[in-house]
Amino acid sequence: MTIDKRKVVYQIYPKSYKDTTGNGVGDLGGIIEKLPYLKELGIDMVWLNPFYPSPQRDNGYDVADYTAVNSDFGTMADFEEMIAVGQSLGIEFMLDMVLNHCSTEHEWFQKALAGDEYYQDFFILRDKPTDWVSKFGGNAWAPFGDTGKYYLHLFDITQADLNWRNPNVREELVKVVNFWRDKGVKGFRFDVINLIGKDDEIVDCPVNDGKPAYTDRPVTHDYLKMLNKASFGRDDSFMTVGEMSATTIENCILYTAPEREELSMAFNFHHLKVDYVDGQKWSIMDFDFAALRDLFHSWGEGMSKGNGWNALFYNNHDQPRALNRFIDVNNFRNEGATMLAASIHLSRGTPYIYMGEEIGMIDPDYRSMADYVDIESKNAYQIMLDEGKTPEQAFTIIQAKSRDNSRTPMQWDASEHAGFTTGTPWLKVGHSYQEINVEKEKKGKIFPFYQELIKLRKKLPIIAEGHYKAALKDSEQVYAFERELDGQKLLVLNNFFATEVSVDLPECYQNGQVLISNYDNEVSLSDNICLKAYQTIAILGSC
Ligand code: TEU
């Protein structure tokens, strides 16, 4: 299994992309309508978050039926049309497979609750709960009806973990994956896939909310090999990405090295915790640049040496917008957005663009808890109050950290609701839509810069395939790395701050060629170079 490393993936949160029916919820028809826009951007594949029937307690990650389309989003015929239109434009689709858990409304859980023992073995039932903490707050076990037993839910109480140790479960899930493969999808994103392997004996684990007891268990690799063999591994051009919660470089090499035949690549989140106080999300702190730099370097070099493959990203539907976290967005939105883009699009791995990132979208400025809908935010707010924070303190943290920050409707133009819907949007449009929208930004700085980065990856094998080597390892301000392929070298310098900084250039680059920069003025190369606020420069070496 070797993937095409020139490809770039674009993530769409279907609920928020484009509504064509006026019900306030984005739909498949809206995605079809916008495919030419994505063609213009230049991406190769679209990852869609779940659009399956679901009670929407966790916005579709609580799947009630794995092989159907939720009627809010359209029909199976719409889905087939979307694939076909994509094919005609050279755009492939990657679907989200949520196989660690299903909704308690899924018929498997309902049958289990009704007493069917065959289906009871689809879930993780125990006589006594352990001390594991749910990722959405509270204990991770809930009473299983009136049986006296408890079922495991690592996420919401309505998301019951599936028992992968049961071969019947594995068989059903393989069927799901193959159902969508037969429909013509060319990729899968596997939700929290490194949590599927639970030990036979489940025990208390007071460390880190219980995570070590269920994360990256060795059996997970066996399950992935099985899934690979039984489904997508049969198609050489297939692209798969595992979402890895609290994982390690060692495991991600195992998950993604081609000879292992597990997955094509992995998302990890360590670099997105550099603004967490003591690793806790519900806290506020400026990002720690040195930590970010070191993480990029250790993952970049570690995966490069181990022949693993990273999925590269700053934004997704679970993260506040990177521009609000890492950039002085009021003064340097264009410079910051383009620098962040270059820092991953020129790196080693497959870049992912989250809808709206290509136009520099920012967090909404919601003023009340009533504007937030995400279950995680609501739970966290309550927990913070219970812990003694004032409503103002808790709200400030929600504003900065809520997953709704990235889930606001895509901003297409300056008309009402940003051109997303003619109805009432399910989640309020961000306050910035009159300044930041597709219509305007196509003529701005950010969208064209993404187009250029995507083109460069297609044109230059050193970007797509080159090794990764850390550079300027001690810089307090510049994240820099080199790429190397067949004796060719590329240096990428990214100034992560609003102040200028001077950098000594190694000889190889003093007579090199500037490949791309996010400032209009010409860059003159010598033994020393001055980077402006949030400037990014990539230089092809001449040695
Ligand atoms: O997220 C996995 C995950 O670990 C989340 O807890 C993530 O770290 C958190 O949202 C950040 O605050 C995946 C999906 O991406 C997410 O949308 C789902 O809610 C979750 O799995 C459960 O399916």
Side-chain angles (χ1 to χ4, degrees):
M1 257 199 339
T2 42
I3 54 155
D4 184 342
K5 294 171 172 163
R6 292 167 303 182
K7 286 186 180 174
V8 173
V9 184
Y10 184 90
Q11 180 190 354
I12 290 181
Y13 200 64
K15 231 174 156 169
S16 298
Y17 206 52
K18 171 74 188 168
D19 172 23
T20 57
T21 64
N23 68 355
V25 175
D27 46 50
L28 300 182
I31 296 170
I32 298 172
E33 186 185 307
K34 297 300 181 184
L35 285 175
Y37 165 71
L38 295 176
K39 172 88 187 155
E40 195 181 334
L41 177 59
I43 55 93
D44 303 276
M45 186 175 262
V46 172
W47 152 28
L48 297 179
N49 292 97
F51 52 80
Y52 320 107
S54 152
Q56 299 285 315
R57 283 272 306 194
D58 185 21
N59 274 337
Y61 282 92
D62 45 334
V63 179
D65 180 352
Y66 283 107
T67 53
V69 176
N70 179 336
S71 56
D72 279 346
F73 295 119
T75 62
M76 193 57 86
D78 295 332
F79 179 82
E80 283 158 6
E81 186 188 337
M82 182 185 74
I83 297 283
V85 177
Q87 270 164 1
S88 70
L89 294 170
I91 295 177
E92 300 175 321
F93 285 89
M94 169 184 272
L95 296 201
D96 215 314
M97 295 284 111
V98 192
L99 308 184
N100 176 69
H101 45 264
C102 67
S103 165
T104 49
E105 287 190 18
H106 194 289
E107 68 165 333
W108 298 338
F109 194 85
Q110 288 300 316
K111 284 184 175 165
L113 258 190
D116 187 331
E117 284 178 12
Y118 178 84
Y119 286 105
Q120 286 181 350
D121 198 25
F122 270 45
F123 299 93
I124 301 180
L125 304 182
R126 292 292 185 275
D127 293 333
K128 259 179 54 199
T130 62
D131 57 359
W132 303 359
V133 179
S134 154
K135 290 181 189 270
F136 290 165
N139 186 269
W141 298 85
F144 184 64
D146 51 13
T147 61
K149 288 187 187 295
Y150 295 82
Y151 68 93
L152 177 67
H153 64 90
L154 290 180
F155 292 87
D156 186 51
I157 192 165
T158 63
Q159 292 167 300
D161 280 55
L162 286 160
N163 176 18
W164 275 72
R165 303 191 80 83
N166 177 352
N168 297 324
V169 168
R170 301 200 294 268
E171 197 185 312
E172 287 293 342
L173 297 177
V174 164
K175 273 195 226 157
V176 169
V177 172
N178 281 333
F179 173 88
W180 292 108
R181 213 162 62 90
D182 290 345
K183 292 255 173 234
V185 310
K186 288 291 182 188
F188 290 116
R189 178 257 187 199
F190 292 104
D191 192 58
V192 289
I193 200 71
N194 65 328
L195 309 185
I196 59 175
K198 275 80 173 186
D199 292 346
D200 194 20
E201 201 190 338
I202 287 183
V203 290
D204 276 344
C205 173
V207 183
N208 208 356
D209 290 345
K211 288 192 186 91
Y214 60 77
T215 304
D216 287 329
R217 305 309 296 153
V219 70
T220 310
H221 296 287
D222 302 336
Y223 295 154
L224 285 174
K225 282 185 200 303
M226 177 283 298
L227 194 60
N228 177 309
K229 242 196 195 61
S231 57
F232 52 83
R234 297 173 184 171
D235 179 347
D236 218 28
S237 65
F238 226 84
M239 206 141 100
T240 53
V241 54
E243 188 208 22
M244 305 298 173
S245 178
T247 189
T248 60
I249 297 176
E250 295 67 36
N251 268 293
C252 284
I253 292 171
L254 297 178
Y255 290 129
T256 66
E259 65 277 10
R260 300 264 312 167
E261 303 199 328
E262 295 186 25
L263 299 172
S264 323
M265 66 189 97
F267 286 117
N268 83 81
F269 297 90
H270 296 288
H271 65 297
L272 296 176
K273 295 184 179 165
V274 297
D275 54 0
Y276 288 14
V277 176
D278 297 330
Q280 293 307 310
K281 168 171 174 164
W282 304 103
S283 60
I284 291 187
M285 161 182 129
D286 283 344
F287 82 101
D288 177 346
F289 171 73
L292 182 71
R293 176 202 65 202
D294 291 350
L295 279 163
F296 277 148
H297 285 332
S298 50
W299 278 83
E301 292 199 329
M303 293 292 268
S304 194
K305 285 185 187 132
N307 200 23
W309 196 249
N310 282 317
L312 304 170
F313 73 108
Y314 284 112
N315 294 289
N316 71 22
H317 64 291
D318 292 333
Q319 300 288 330
R321 294 276 177 185
L323 289 181
N324 291 77
R325 300 171 75 170
F326 300 113
I327 304 296
D328 172 0
V329 73
N330 292 324
N331 297 306
F332 297 100
R333 191 175 63 91
N334 284 330
E335 295 81 358
T338 46
M339 183 280 290
L340 288 179
S343 72
I344 60 174
H345 281 254
L346 300 176
S347 191
R348 180 179 178 278
T350 297
Y352 284 67
I353 302 168
Y354 177 68
M355 63 170 205
E357 179 186 324
E358 77 280 16
I359 56 164
M361 269 176 68
I362 57 175
D363 290 347
D365 191 16
Y366 290 165
R367 292 302 163 94
S368 138
M369 252 337 267
D371 291 331
Y372 292 90
V373 306
D374 183 26
I375 180 100
E376 189 200 40
S377 300
K378 292 187 169 179
N379 291 352
Y381 182 72
Q382 193 52 51
I383 291 171
M384 286 191 277
L385 294 186
D386 295 346
E387 284 169 358
K389 289 208 165 52
T390 64
E392 293 71 32
Q393 288 168 332
F395 184 66
T396 306
I397 296 179
I398 296 290
Q399 269 188 319
K401 294 299 176 83
S402 173
R403 304 193 296 182
D404 286 334
N405 279 320
S406 56
R407 298 177 179 183
T408 60
M410 179 71 179
Q411 294 169 193
W412 294 106
D413 57 40
S415 68
E416 203 189 0
H417 305 315
F420 161 69
T421 181
T422 54
T424 308
W426 72 278
L427 180 66
K428 253 172 64 180
V429 169
H431 65 295
S432 63
Y433 74 96
Q434 287 179 328
E435 275 70 53
I436 306 174
N437 58 61
V438 169
E439 200 170 278
K440 265 187 130 163
E441 292 291 343
K442 273 220 240 167
K443 294 171 265 164
K445 297 275 183 210
I446 305 171
F447 184 88
F449 196 79
Y450 271 87
Q451 285 179 309
E452 203 178 333
L453 286 172
I454 296 170
K455 280 194 194 120
L456 281 175
R457 173 166 285 261
K458 306 224 179 306
K459 199 166 101 191
L460 298 182
I462 190 169
I463 297 176
E465 309 267 352
H467 297 292
Y468 179 103
K469 206 170 138 220
L472 306 181
K473 278 190 187 172
D474 299 321
S475 172
E476 309 262 317
Q477 178 159 355
V478 180
Y479 163 52
F481 56 88
E482 282 184 290
R483 307 292 308 282
E484 289 178 3
L485 187 72
D486 302 333
Q488 199 184 26
K489 281 174 144 203
L490 174 72
L491 175 68
V492 183
L493 302 169
N494 304 290
N495 179 5
F496 263 75
F497 291 88
T499 47
E500 291 189 355
V501 57
S502 90
V503 169
D504 290 333
L505 272 192
E507 223 179 293
C508 169
Y509 299 101
Q510 292 174 13
N511 298 310
Q513 177 206 339
V514 175
L515 201 58
I516 187 167
S517 155
N518 60 347
Y519 274 76
D520 289 336
N521 59 323
E522 201 156 308
V523 180
S524 61
L525 298 176
S526 63
D527 55 350
N528 190 277
I529 168 174
C530 174
L531 297 178
K532 297 189 196 315
Y534 300 107
Q535 185 162 20
T536 181
I537 302 180
I539 309 166
L540 273 177
S542 63
C543 51

